[in-house]
Amino acid sequence: MRNPLLRPRALVAAGAAAALALTAAACGDSGESDADLTWWHIQNQDPLMSTWQEFADDFAADNDITIDVQAIENQAFKDRMGTASQSGDVPDIFHTWGGGVLAEQVEAGLVQDLTGKLDCIDSINPIALEPYTIDGKLYGMPFDAGVVGFWYNEDLFAQAGITQPPATWDEFLAAVQALKDEGITPIALAGADKWPGHYYWTYLAMRTVGLDGLASAAEAGDFSGDGFVQAGQMVADLAALEPFQPGFESAVYGEADGQSATMGEGLAAMELMGQWAPQAQRDNSGTEGPENLGFFPFPTVEGGTGTTTEWLGGGNGYAVAADAPDEALDFLCNFMEPDNYTRAIAEGNLTPVAADVAAVAPDLNEDTQKVVDALATATGTQLYLDQAYPPAIGGVINDATEGLLLGQLTPEDFVAMVNEAWAAEA
């Protein structure tokens, strides 16, 4: 049985890592700052944006330092970190999902080895550290972990006569059609951000070939198997039903008219998203979100080897720049102080990574408990492919999935693009 939390594929390409190590003549994207610490994070909506700022202000005051805090939207953060990494000038503390992206930053000498340096490490479940562990050394500290599944509006499902969540792909397509027949938008999707769309192809590949088949393809750099073509065809078949909200092609995830807000306002019946979705629905819509919000795993595919207890997912954590001062390490552990972490879990609906969950989260809310239960029964997990694989590969998968969803690529085109990207990394 696979480990019940996330296992990154340590796929580091020397050429790409070397590119990350190049130092641009101009100042790096992290920018010049007179602050003692710079910190980039993606909690750009309240309540956590204010909570993170308060944590930084309190730590700065207690330690007589200054911290330049920048809250950046998810996709914008990825873009800025890519530029900063290429310049060789990264913030002292920055968000990371671990996996292949972090591995390349490590290979480029941009990230500090945290092994044995964090006094708080024993308070964290060791399994949650795996996405941030590369060649036996720790390069990041998680504060949240979870899985991607379908969050759905139970009232809209009932309105369309759907009495239980679909368990198979055929049942899922039937549910999409039933919602459309009732005049309900079935799925909210942030097409412009691309990463939400890649969840569909990834999950369908996981269901057709299984986690072992996906791992074998990555190790060989060859996604030519029938199961991967089938996964692409199923994405295309879904898109042909026109299940997404009008204008999804230009929609982003975290804005007032984006994917999460569409769900929060009750304008779509479901979204395929991670553990942060319920809070994001509330934050971005300015509402309380759907009154009855359910959660179900990605369906199985007839004849496929994957199961509903195999989950796509990942965590949220922080890495430290190679040249960051010692205060950066102390600041990370400040997060895991019981009072701070308990507050963060409650305010941000975080899925705890604590070794003793009951000690920091004795009363998890209903939405978070659903994710905790999914993790507890998971028989296998896969880190998001745009983080598990080197950036050049993950980016191609995101782009190619967008092509499938827009009808611009065939499943065979998708496979060819991914294989070409792997060949370029070899």
Side-chain angles (χ1 to χ4, degrees):
M1 185 178 77
R2 289 177 179 267
N3 200 304
L5 263 177
L6 307 173
R7 301 177 63 190
R9 313 296 184 198
L11 302 166
V12 181
L20 283 180
L22 292 175
T23 302
C27 171
D29 193 57
S30 60
E32 295 292 342
S33 173
D34 294 330
D36 297 296
L37 289 178
T38 55
W39 175 29
W40 289 6
H41 68 75
I42 63 170
Q43 270 58 51
N44 67 319
Q45 297 281 346
D46 281 332
L48 280 189
M49 182 169 65
S50 295
T51 302
W52 265 212
Q53 185 66 53
E54 187 174 331
F55 285 177
D57 291 344
D58 290 348
F59 183 85
D62 291 344
N63 292 274
D64 194 26
I65 64 170
T66 56
I67 304 177
D68 176 13
V69 183
Q70 297 191 35
I72 309 169
E73 185 273 330
N74 187 307
Q75 187 59 47
F77 167 81
K78 292 177 181 177
D79 294 341
R80 288 183 63 183
M81 272 305 302
T83 301
S85 296
Q86 289 172 3
S87 77
D89 183 13
V90 299
D92 295 310
I93 303 168
F94 58 90
H95 191 98
T96 180
W97 293 272
V101 174
L102 179 62
E104 287 201 350
Q105 292 165 340
V106 169
E107 185 75 6
L110 300 176
V111 184
Q112 189 169 152
D113 178 3
L114 303 180
T115 308
K117 295 182 180 180
L118 296 175
D119 294 337
C120 58
I121 204 66
D122 289 341
S123 68
I124 300 174
N125 187 329
I127 296 174
L129 301 175
E130 290 194 3
Y132 311 92
T133 302
I134 300 165
D135 295 332
K137 296 181 179 180
L138 182 67
Y139 290 95
M141 188 200 79
F143 62 87
D144 171 59
V147 295
V148 172
F150 278 105
W151 296 94
Y152 72 103
N153 186 317
E154 295 176 350
D155 294 333
L156 293 182
F157 267 48
Q159 185 178 329
I162 305 169
T163 58
Q164 60 185 10
T168 69
W169 185 247
D170 287 344
E171 291 176 2
F172 178 79
L173 295 181
V176 166
Q177 190 59 56
L179 289 161
K180 284 179 64 68
D181 291 345
E182 194 64 26
I184 299 168
T185 296
I187 303 172
L189 181 65
D193 277 346
K194 300 182 183 179
W195 57 267
H198 108 282
Y199 292 161
Y200 286 88
W201 183 86
T202 303
Y203 253 131
L204 285 165
M206 287 169 59
R207 295 297 185 256
T208 56
V209 305
L211 289 177
D212 288 336
L214 190 62
S216 296
E219 290 164 7
D222 185 359
F223 286 72
S224 301
D226 292 343
F228 297 111
V229 176
Q230 180 186 1
Q233 185 60 57
M234 296 170 88
V235 172
D237 292 344
L238 173 63
L241 294 178
E242 299 183 350
F244 310 119
Q245 80 275 19
F248 81 93
E249 304 93 335
S250 59
V252 298
Y253 176 70
E255 293 186 358
D257 58 352
Q259 174 176 329
S260 58
T262 298
M263 276 296 298
E265 294 170 9
L267 300 178
M270 56 184 153
E271 65 170 335
L272 183 60
M273 193 47 62
Q275 66 272 14
W276 57 86
Q279 186 65 46
Q281 291 173 13
R282 292 187 284 270
D283 292 345
N284 292 305
S285 68
T287 71
E288 291 301 312
E291 183 176 356
N292 297 300
L293 188 66
F295 183 72
F296 66 90
F298 198 93
T300 58
V301 171
E302 184 178 358
T305 59
T307 70
T308 56
T309 57
E310 294 172 344
W311 295 84
L312 177 67
N316 294 290
Y318 291 113
V320 176
D323 59 353
D326 290 343
E327 286 87 353
L329 307 180
D330 296 334
F331 184 61
L332 289 189
C333 281
N334 186 61
F335 271 92
M336 302 310 294
E337 289 291 329
D339 288 346
N340 286 344
Y341 196 42
T342 296
R343 177 182 172 188
I345 292 167
E347 293 184 1
N349 288 332
L350 303 181
T351 305
V353 296
D356 184 357
V357 172
V360 294
D363 299 307
L364 288 175
N365 66 50
E366 184 178 351
D367 294 330
T368 303
Q369 189 63 55
K370 292 168 184 172
V371 177
V372 171
D373 291 344
L375 281 170
T377 58
T379 57
T381 53
Q382 170 62 53
L383 184 63
Y384 324 112
L385 295 191
D386 62 350
Q387 297 300 313
Y389 297 164
I393 308 298
V396 167
I397 290 175
N398 286 352
D399 291 343
T401 304
E402 179 191 35
L404 288 174
L405 291 168
L406 297 180
Q408 298 170 347
L409 293 177
T410 68
E412 292 78 11
D413 292 334
F414 182 105
V415 167
M417 285 179 63
V418 175
N419 285 346
E420 288 171 8
W422 276 110
E425 289 286 299

